[in-house]
Amino acid sequence: MALKYLFDRIVSLIGMLCLCWLYLIVAILIKIKMPGSALFVQERVGKDGKLFKIHKFRSMRMKREDEAFTGVAAAETDRITPLGEKLRKYKLDELPELWDVFIGKMSFVGPRPDVPGYADKLEGEDRTILKLRPGITGPASLKYRNEEELLAQVDDPVKYNDEVIWPDKVRLNLYYLQHYSFWMDLKMIFATVLGKKIEFAGEEI
């Protein structure tokens, strides 16, 4: 995966340089519309199960100290601000993750980084997906690009995520690890940017 690593470093640097004007605009809008920090920084599980700090533009109101984080987005929708909703719709909240890719904590393509706790549930062969750097996009991200809307339709989003969506994400990420190719990465990146579907693991995602 040397080509993947080199691609990540070069393209993330180019992306940050080309989009620095957009970073500034988004940061200013957040500071005006949502009091508090423009960035959301949180510990996530990375390569080899090591924790790292992920960087995103903040899309939610600040959490009180007595509020618990569930790790499931649909359970937090009441905290998403109108501006944050637009940032999420166009994936602008994820722009700061280019820095995480540049410093080698993330990749453009890979499993989305989970909050601590989910990785502990991985058993046997499934734990091999921890060999991968977490990604901005990936097979599970493409299949569940409407995850928040899907979870909002069920009575217990946390339970549905834990029993249905998360195990399926593990399956997709394991297939990605076992059948990796750089060409596959490029297809997923373009599918993400263009909003297209691709064939993967015998299904359309």
Side-chain angles (χ1 to χ4, degrees):
M1 295 188 177
L3 181 58
K4 176 185 179 74
Y5 187 81
L6 183 62
F7 175 86
D8 286 342
R9 301 292 84 65
I10 294 175
V11 177
S12 60
L13 177 59
I14 294 174
M16 287 188 292
L17 292 175
C18 292
L19 296 174
C20 57
W21 61 273
L22 185 55
Y23 279 75
L24 181 61
I25 292 174
V26 173
I28 291 174
L29 287 174
I30 293 174
K31 295 295 288 186
I32 293 174
K33 298 290 186 178
M34 301 189 300
S37 173
L39 285 179
F40 170 75
V41 182
Q42 186 184 53
E43 281 197 335
R44 297 288 178 92
V45 178
K47 188 177 185 298
D48 300 321
K50 297 178 180 179
L51 297 180
F52 76 101
K53 293 186 183 297
I54 193 173
H55 298 81
K56 304 177 73 172
F57 279 126
R58 187 164 59 87
S59 60
M60 296 182 178
R61 63 174 176 80
M62 300 293 285
K63 184 179 280 293
R64 301 192 311 267
E65 290 184 3
D66 61 342
E67 291 182 297
F69 179 68
T70 65
V72 178
E76 308 282 326
T77 51
D78 61 316
R79 294 177 51 229
I80 300 176
T81 66
L83 173 60
E85 187 175 351
K86 291 183 174 62
L87 295 178
R88 286 178 170 228
K89 179 180 179 180
Y90 297 105
K91 305 299 183 183
L92 296 177
D93 62 315
E94 297 184 5
L95 284 177
E97 291 176 31
L98 288 177
W99 170 254
D100 298 319
V101 173
F102 179 68
I103 63 176
K105 298 299 183 180
M106 291 182 65
S107 174
F108 277 107
V109 181
R112 284 301 295 169
D114 284 316
V115 295
Y118 277 91
D120 297 333
K121 301 178 182 180
L122 295 170
E123 298 179 349
E125 187 180 33
D126 290 347
R127 290 195 64 81
T128 61
I129 65 174
L130 294 176
K131 294 180 180 179
L132 293 166
R133 283 183 176 81
I136 294 178
T137 188
S141 299
L142 288 172
K143 181 173 181 178
Y144 293 102
R145 64 187 80 196
N146 64 336
E147 181 178 344
E148 291 186 16
E149 292 83 355
L150 179 63
L151 288 173
Q153 298 171 8
V154 300
D155 294 332
D156 190 337
V158 175
K159 180 179 179 181
Y160 188 80
N161 175 76
D162 291 352
E163 296 181 356
V164 179
I165 294 181
W166 189 75
D168 192 40
K169 287 182 177 181
V170 173
R171 176 186 65 85
L172 291 168
N173 290 324
L174 184 60
Y175 185 93
Y176 169 75
L177 173 63
Q178 296 171 339
H179 300 82
Y180 170 77
S181 74
F182 184 65
W183 171 241
M184 184 191 304
D185 271 11
L186 294 180
K187 287 174 63 177
M188 290 188 190
I189 291 171
F190 282 113
T192 301
V193 173
L194 300 176
K196 302 293 185 179
K197 290 185 177 292
I198 60 172
E199 290 291 326
F200 180 84
E203 61 180 304
E204 189 177 60
I205 61 173

